[in-house]
Amino acid sequence: MNCDTIFLLFSITFLISYISLSGADWFCDSCEEKIRPIQRLLDKTSIKNKQLELELHQCKINIHISKIIEKEFMKLDEKLDKQPHNISQEFSKLSQLSQVSIDKLSAIEKQQQSSNYRELNTITEWQAKMYEKNKELKAKENECADLRNQLNEMKNVIKEKKTQLIENEKRAKIVLEQKIKEKYDELKIMKSQKEFVEEYNAKLVAKTHNQENQLSFYSTCCKTESCQIFGNSTNAKIIKIPDVEPMKVSCNDIIAEPGWLVFQRRIDGHEDFNRNWTDYQMGFGNVKEEFFMGLERLHQITKSEPHELYIQLEDYANEKSCAHYDRFEIGGADENYVLKSIGTYSGTAGNSLQDNIEQQFSTYDRDNDSDEINCAELLSGGWWYSNCGFSNLNGKYAKDIFWDEWRGYEYSLKSVVMMIRPKNTQHQ
């Protein structure tokens, strides 16, 4: 509903209301019942008028607002009339700036294209070079792989050669050490022989100076072949064995009755018994102190007639023990002075010589024992070794002189005396 229609209805309603209020009695004085509907209509009309008044007021407000809006639209139209010109100017400026920008961008693009073209050419050239370098690198890698394989093969060969060289060095060292030892033993033997020759020559010189006295002495007291003739004696005597030059010996009748000839004595260790074959064959030491008579002389004595053997042992508690054998004999040099017989044992020390029967004599430079190792070298002395055990009376003093069945093989004895005498009816 527009504002004009609302205004017309408001006017008609106002007119009807005025007529009703001022001349109602004139209009229908006797028709009270007829007036009631009209009254109700007026009441409704009054309410409607109020509504119309409100709508009219709102319409006025809207008209006012419309005028204000119209003015604003007019201002806006004026601005819009001016705006195209401004926009045209701005557009022109923007067009110029755009053209300049386009030109610059074109120039930059051309320059960039030129630069990109050059860079592309450079990149292409570098790619070609890199391709060639990669081919060369691949070839070098293959060459390196071949060289690495060759190097590994050479390493394996060198390792094998090194192992072989080490083995050869070990073998050469063993052979060299053996040769050095052999040479050393030969030199030691030569030295011993030289010392023996010198000693023997000295004895010959002494004998030459005293020849007449010696011949006189031999004519009176050197006809005996043992110590029996001397009776109770502990002095050094000279005896004559068949096929052997007269020799000085040590007789002893204190240990076990008269007639015993001492062929080995250990008392304090000042004499070295770790000697070579020649020394044990010829004998060494001083018959009045520590000595060994010599295997050759011992062989000649025991083969001339039956002999018995007596061994006295002493420990560091000064306790003594003995071993007696009634048939003692050793072979000659061609048999390596084998221990042929010891006969029957008696005594207090135990029979620690039993396993040595039929064993050849051994020294560190002449290994004749039945063991895999050199017992003479191990135990530092010469003996009739079987398996390096049970007895060793020529071992290193204070270390390897033992008689197993008396003090055990780990106990080194303080002193040893070994003696022989002819076996006859008088001593049986």
Side-chain angles (χ1 to χ4, degrees):
M1 188 181 295
N2 57 28
C3 292
D4 292 335
T5 305
I6 294 170
F7 183 75
L8 180 61
L9 289 173
F10 179 77
S11 299
I12 293 170
T13 304
F14 179 77
L15 180 61
I16 293 170
S17 300
Y18 179 78
I19 293 171
S20 298
L21 293 173
S22 59
D25 294 331
W26 176 79
F27 182 72
C28 189
D29 192 24
S30 60
C31 302
E32 185 176 345
E33 294 181 358
K34 293 181 179 179
I35 292 173
R36 288 176 182 154
I38 294 171
Q39 186 68 35
R40 286 195 296 270
L41 180 62
L42 288 174
D43 293 336
K44 291 179 180 179
T45 303
S46 175
I47 292 169
K48 192 70 174 177
N49 286 336
K50 289 179 181 181
Q51 292 177 351
L52 290 173
E53 286 178 1
L54 290 172
E55 290 180 1
L56 181 62
H57 180 70
Q58 185 67 37
C59 187
K60 288 179 179 180
I61 292 171
N62 290 338
I63 292 170
H64 181 68
I65 291 171
S66 298
K67 290 180 179 180
I68 293 171
I69 291 171
E70 185 179 358
K71 288 179 181 180
E72 292 296 325
F73 269 110
M74 289 178 67
K75 290 179 182 180
L76 183 61
D77 285 338
E78 290 177 0
K79 287 182 179 181
L80 288 175
D81 290 338
K82 295 178 181 180
Q83 192 68 25
H85 180 69
N86 294 334
I87 291 172
S88 177
Q89 290 179 349
E90 293 293 332
F91 182 76
S92 177
K93 290 179 182 180
L94 288 173
S95 297
Q96 292 175 359
L97 290 173
S98 297
Q99 188 63 41
V100 172
S101 299
I102 290 169
D103 294 340
K104 287 183 179 180
L105 286 172
S106 245
I108 291 169
E109 185 177 2
K110 288 180 181 179
Q111 185 178 0
Q112 188 69 30
Q113 287 177 352
S114 177
S115 175
N116 288 342
Y117 179 74
R118 288 195 300 274
E119 289 179 357
L120 182 62
N121 289 337
T122 303
I123 290 170
T124 304
E125 292 175 0
W126 276 106
Q127 285 178 340
K129 290 179 180 180
M130 287 296 294
Y131 178 74
E132 294 298 326
K133 291 294 182 182
N134 285 333
K135 286 176 66 178
E136 293 178 5
L137 182 61
K138 188 69 176 176
K140 292 292 183 182
E141 286 179 352
N142 294 333
E143 185 178 352
C144 286
D146 294 337
L147 291 173
R148 192 177 292 110
N149 293 332
Q150 294 178 10
L151 180 60
N152 290 332
E153 292 176 0
M154 290 298 295
K155 283 182 177 179
N156 293 331
V157 172
I158 290 171
K159 187 176 180 180
E160 292 176 0
K161 294 292 184 183
K162 186 176 180 182
T163 303
Q164 186 177 359
L165 181 61
I166 291 171
E167 293 297 325
N168 291 336
E169 285 179 352
K170 287 180 178 178
R171 291 194 209 98
K173 184 178 179 181
I174 292 170
V175 172
L176 181 61
E177 287 177 350
Q178 186 65 30
K179 288 183 177 180
I180 291 173
K181 187 176 182 302
E182 290 174 359
K183 291 295 183 184
Y184 176 76
D185 293 340
E186 289 177 5
L187 289 172
K188 197 169 180 181
I189 291 170
M190 291 173 64
K191 183 179 178 182
S192 298
Q193 290 175 344
K194 182 181 177 183
E195 290 175 353
F196 176 77
V197 170
E198 289 176 353
E199 183 180 353
Y200 187 74
N201 287 336
K203 288 179 180 180
L204 285 178
V205 171
K207 286 180 180 180
T208 301
H209 289 304
N210 208 11
Q211 187 174 14
E212 292 181 0
N213 294 331
Q214 290 289 334
L215 289 173
S216 175
F217 183 81
Y218 291 152
S219 65
T220 57
C221 64
C222 292
K223 295 178 181 179
T224 183
E225 298 177 1
S226 71
C227 289
Q228 287 179 307
I229 193 172
F230 300 112
N232 295 330
S233 175
T234 58
N235 296 323
K237 304 293 181 179
I238 295 176
I239 63 173
K240 177 68 173 69
I241 306 298
D243 301 325
V244 180
E245 290 292 327
M247 67 179 108
K248 185 184 290 187
V249 297
S250 175
C251 297
N252 191 299
D253 65 341
I254 295 176
I255 294 176
E257 301 176 348
W260 291 101
L261 183 153
V262 179
F263 72 87
Q264 185 257 36
R265 183 187 291 120
R266 310 295 301 277
I267 52 176
D268 54 17
H270 79 272
E271 188 68 44
D272 183 11
F273 273 66
N274 188 20
R275 311 291 277 260
N276 60 32
W277 180 262
T278 303
D279 287 352
Y280 271 100
Q281 185 179 35
M282 305 304 296
F284 55 85
N286 188 333
V287 294
K288 294 181 180 181
E289 298 175 352
E290 291 193 326
F291 78 101
F292 185 80
M293 185 174 67
L295 293 168
E296 183 60 34
R297 293 173 182 171
L298 194 59
H299 161 64
Q300 295 296 340
I301 293 172
T302 59
K303 84 168 184 175
S304 64
E305 61 178 310
H307 277 69
E308 55 185 332
L309 170 67
Y310 190 94
I311 302 173
Q312 179 179 272
L313 309 171
E314 184 180 3
D315 63 16
Y316 282 91
N318 299 322
E319 239 183 277
K320 295 178 182 178
S321 186
C322 68
H324 178 260
Y325 298 92
D326 65 0
R327 184 68 176 88
F328 177 69
E329 182 183 358
I330 69 171
D334 57 339
E335 300 173 287
N336 292 322
Y337 303 106
V338 62
L339 182 58
K340 287 187 172 184
S341 172
I342 59 174
T344 303
Y345 162 79
S346 63
T348 59
N351 189 7
S352 291
L353 201 60
Q354 180 65 36
D355 287 349
N356 302 88
I357 298 174
E358 297 183 358
Q359 296 297 320
Q360 300 175 16
F361 199 85
S362 291
T363 58
Y364 66 78
D365 61 335
R366 188 77 69 89
D367 185 8
N368 297 319
D369 61 56
S370 57
D371 206 314
E372 293 181 357
I373 62 175
N374 188 336
C375 296
E377 186 175 14
L378 176 67
L379 299 174
S380 306
W383 196 247
W384 296 278
Y385 295 106
S386 57
N387 60 351
C388 306
F390 300 108
S391 63
N392 182 40
L393 301 184
N394 288 332
K396 185 176 180 62
Y397 191 81
K399 181 180 179 183
D400 293 317
I401 304 174
F402 60 84
W403 191 267
D404 184 65
E405 292 199 16
W406 187 43
R407 290 289 183 262
Y409 70 90
E410 293 183 346
Y411 186 95
S412 185
L413 300 170
K414 177 183 177 182
S415 69
V416 177
V417 177
M418 299 180 70
M419 306 183 297
I420 57 173
R421 72 179 178 183
K423 182 178 174 63
N424 52 46
T425 56
Q426 181 180 352
H427 299 289
Q428 286 180 353

